[in-house]
Amino acid sequence: MTELTAQQRVLIARHPQRPNLDDYINGLFTGFFQQRGDRLCGEDAAILGGVALYHGRPVTVIGTRKGRTLEENLERRFGMPNPEGYRKALRLMAQAEKFRRPVLTFIDTAGAYPGLEAEARGQGEAIARCLLELSRLTVPVIALVTGEANSGGALALAVANRVLMLENAVYAILSPEGFASILWKDAARHGEACELMKLTAPDLMRLGVIDEIVPEPDGGAHLARAIAIHQADLAISRHLGELTKLSGGTLAADRQRKFRAMGAAAPGEEGP
Amino acid sequence: MNNIFAKRRDRLLAMKAARDSYIPREQRVTCPACGGQFVRREVSQALWVCPGCGHHWPVGAYYRLSTLLDSGSFRELNGKLPPADPLQFPGYPAKLAEARRKTGLDEAAVTALGTIGGHRCVIGVLDGRFLMGSMSAAVGEKLTQAIETACRRRLPLILVSASGGARMQEGILSLMQMAKTAGALARLDRRGLLYISVLTHPTTGGVTASFASLGDIILAEPGALIGFAGPRVIQQTIGETLPEGFQRAEYQQEHGFVDAVVPRGQLRDTLALLLRLHEKGGRHD
């Protein structure tokens, strides 16, 4: 297959028939029990979470959830979480810690929802708290970027020991449209932004931001969902097997070291 | 001997603070909020808070430090920084060079050791003049090193934010600084050390969604815009005009995200009190 451009990958990553969180849950787990609500004020359908069996062992599953129909997408704000979603995720992380379950996260979101209510209830604080709590969990954390993953709204679920990414998924500071609009005041230049942002899996692998690329069927995961999910299964189970051998303290230290090294001064290098 | 060094450090900070390009040079100053006209000395004595309406002018990092730290206590932390322009973004090196020339800063953050009311602390200040105080890998690295210095020396930490959020030209590596600083704060938290976050105008985006929201104590300057999404983006999303005072410091206090809105003239005393209240030896252990 010829190498796709970054812009083509963005289109594939957003394809409406691409496997979504429900497909991964059906394909990878048995006995999924959905947990709802943040125990503070609400439930957010844009983040789905719960407990399930993965190859016979209990895990905590948390993911952003896009819908396929318009109705589903309206209810889930196209997979853009509110603070209640992140606070539900925090509650589930704390339970994973208590019951010593690994945390598996699935990320496909245009970002946290930029709404008035979301701001009133502390979107920034909710995301910040996720970053802090994820960084210090003493159970294995594996994140899989399945579609598009933008901004702090995606990172909130991606502070993991291993960050895996589907071949045609994209992961960036924000959407190429938002990027072009902030930098050049012209959202129409998003194509140009795609190529400059280094948002594809191979780019991010080179930058050391992700740990493994999960191969997709030719043309993209939407053409053969079962194959894509099987590939994800192979990668997740291999990494989980490695991580479950480590102690809790090592897992937290390993995760913090990994992110500590991003954009750090190289040894012996002088600053400006 | 110590005294000579203290005086020299004091002069250095005063000199750097005086370069603050935010601060109007004219002898007569007009407040951008109320339009009132004042004599420069009157406004500068009020730490650049409008004597008429209380508007807080933005101020640069060294100026801010000169208003908070005890005289002679400023010692800048100059750590090693990562290479600039990690994504080889077109035009970015020139932008950085221009920001450096204009501000006299190497990056959008200054970190230091110092004392406030006699209490030792590590302090980091973002400077909105430098590419809107945006978080580059270098800013994330400076702040992380400051947090680690606080951990090593078992000192309280104060971070004063003023930032538009992520540094677009550093893309995903800018985003990763959110996780890096939050992880460092987890280590500070584990050691039982105090972290005070001070939010000044504006504190938005990835800075709000990481270290700025994680303080044990969170203070804000009056009128400061504080939020994750910017008002323009929210307005586009919901298609309505935003209510008066939305996302301002007072609004955030009302919604439970800020302990206290503190006018600039009281910030130093408030910080000194908080440091005193958390002092080692004063604890019940």
Side-chain angles (χ1 to χ4, degrees), chain A residues 87 112-117 119-129 131-132 135-136 149-153 155 159 171-174 178-179 181-185 196-198 204 207 209 256-257 259-272, chain B residues 80-83 86-90 100 106 137-138 141 144-145 148 166-169 171-180 182-183 185-187 189-190 208-211 213-215 226-229 232-234 237-238 242-243 246-247 251-252 255 257:
Chain A
R87 293 191 177 115
Y113 188 67
L116 192 145
E117 297 292 310
E119 291 294 315
R121 297 194 294 265
Q123 188 75 284
E125 194 273 345
I127 293 170
R129 197 61 60 188
L131 303 178
L132 181 95
S135 79
R136 62 182 172 193
N150 293 334
S151 101
L155 181 66
V159 184
Y171 185 10
I173 190 164
L174 82 173
F179 186 90
S181 136
I182 287 185
L183 209 55
W184 304 311
K185 312 274 172 254
L196 292 174
M197 288 172 76
K198 306 257 196 314
L204 295 169
L207 287 168
V209 171
Q256 290 188 18
R257 224 179 356 252
F259 287 89
R260 176 66 187 84
M262 292 189 194
E269 193 141 14
E270 287 302 322
Chain B
K80 286 176 183 169
L81 296 186
L87 304 190
Q88 277 114 52
F89 199 87
R100 286 185 180 139
D106 62 351
E141 182 64 20
T144 301
Q145 286 179 17
E148 288 167 350
R167 179 84 50 89
M168 289 300 136
Q169 296 90 340
I172 194 84
L173 284 173
S174 170
L175 189 70
M176 292 302 136
Q177 303 312 306
M178 296 169 63
K180 182 161 114 182
L185 287 172
R187 298 192 284 281
D189 188 60
R190 191 175 165 203
T208 300
S210 63
F211 60 87
S213 290
L214 294 172
I226 300 158
F228 178 59
R232 196 171 50 93
V233 178
I234 299 168
T237 311
I238 62 170
L242 298 170
F246 178 63
Q247 291 183 316
Y251 172 97
Q252 296 294 0
H255 284 77
F257 294 101

